[in-house]
Amino acid sequence: MSPRESGSDPRTVVYNGVAVPTTSPEQNRDYWPEFEEGTSGALRRVVDRGDDVVVVGGGKGITTVVSARMARIEGSVTTYEANSEMIETLQHTLKVNQVSDTVTLHHAAIGPVSEQAIEMFGPSDGDQFTSADLPACDVLELDVEGSEVDILRNMDCRPRAIVVETHEPIGVPPEDVAEVLEEIGYEITNRTPAGLNNKLMVLTAVRKQNVEGE
């Protein structure tokens, strides 16, 4: 239940420099400077001004805001989020951080939705798209709680850079994701531990022709 539904005053929590309103504080804290640093840090490194960025698994909106700030007004961000309550949070996050004009939100899932994703974020009650429906972009970010390999194997777009949060605790180790990235023509340029107790891994990969300068 959101704060507005419960009748309590909405509050704002700051995650890695991104203000997220109408959010219950985690562990009674309102300030999380290193939240999603693996993914946010990777996006700050690879997104250039004017880039078109696609975010799959929008969540609270932290990485969408980071991407919009890096791409600036000349670029764009397209974000997919499957759960209606998370979409509502995302909309407020974009407004409060003043990036709504550069972001297009889709209430939709890309590829299969894992049971773990539903347990963590609620039901997938939006549209269902396939990986082939992903638009062309310069940078792709995936945080999809177990559907990483399926999306990468079946997508048609080939962005300049891909940032993926891998989820070994639910059966998708970084090695499996790295193997697929290599198969589709990417080189891993960075690996950063992430999540609670660093149990997850964020992989940054760049299309090989960009690495080789072809």
Side-chain angles (χ1 to χ4, degrees), residues 115-200:
E115 292 181 4
Q116 291 83 0
I118 293 173
E119 289 175 4
M120 291 182 65
F121 300 107
S124 175
D125 50 12
D127 295 328
Q128 180 70 49
F129 296 148
T130 69
S131 303
D133 293 318
L134 284 173
C137 59
D138 299 295
V139 179
L140 172 66
E141 186 241 317
L142 300 179
D143 185 359
V144 289
E145 310 298 329
S147 300
E148 303 92 304
V149 168
D150 183 276
I151 291 174
L152 290 169
R153 278 189 174 145
N154 294 294
M155 67 184 193
D156 293 330
C157 65
R158 286 296 182 267
R160 183 186 74 244
I162 301 176
V163 176
V164 189
E165 183 175 281
T166 67
H167 299 85
E168 185 165 14
I170 59 175
V172 187
E175 293 78 12
D176 289 0
V177 178
E179 182 178 350
V180 174
L181 285 166
E182 290 282 343
E183 289 174 359
I184 64 174
Y186 286 81
E187 178 177 326
I188 306 298
T189 58
N190 186 268
R191 299 170 185 255
T192 303
L196 187 63
N197 299 320
N198 290 329
K199 291 183 178 180
L200 308 180

Side-chain angles (χ1 to χ4, degrees), residues 64-117:
T64 295
V65 171
V66 169
S67 297
R69 288 173 175 170
M70 298 305 297
R72 304 198 187 184
I73 194 68
E74 297 91 340
S76 70
V77 181
T78 301
T79 295
Y80 297 85
E81 171 54 49
N83 177 262
S84 56
E85 289 191 10
M86 297 306 297
I87 280 285
E88 184 178 359
T89 296
L90 257 163
Q91 289 170 334
H92 288 288
T93 298
L94 300 182
K95 183 177 180 180
V96 127
N97 290 277
Q98 301 181 344
V99 296
S100 298
D101 289 346
T102 57
V103 177
T104 299
L105 284 182
H106 292 285
H107 181 198
I110 298 291
V113 180
S114 68
E115 292 181 4
Q116 291 83 0

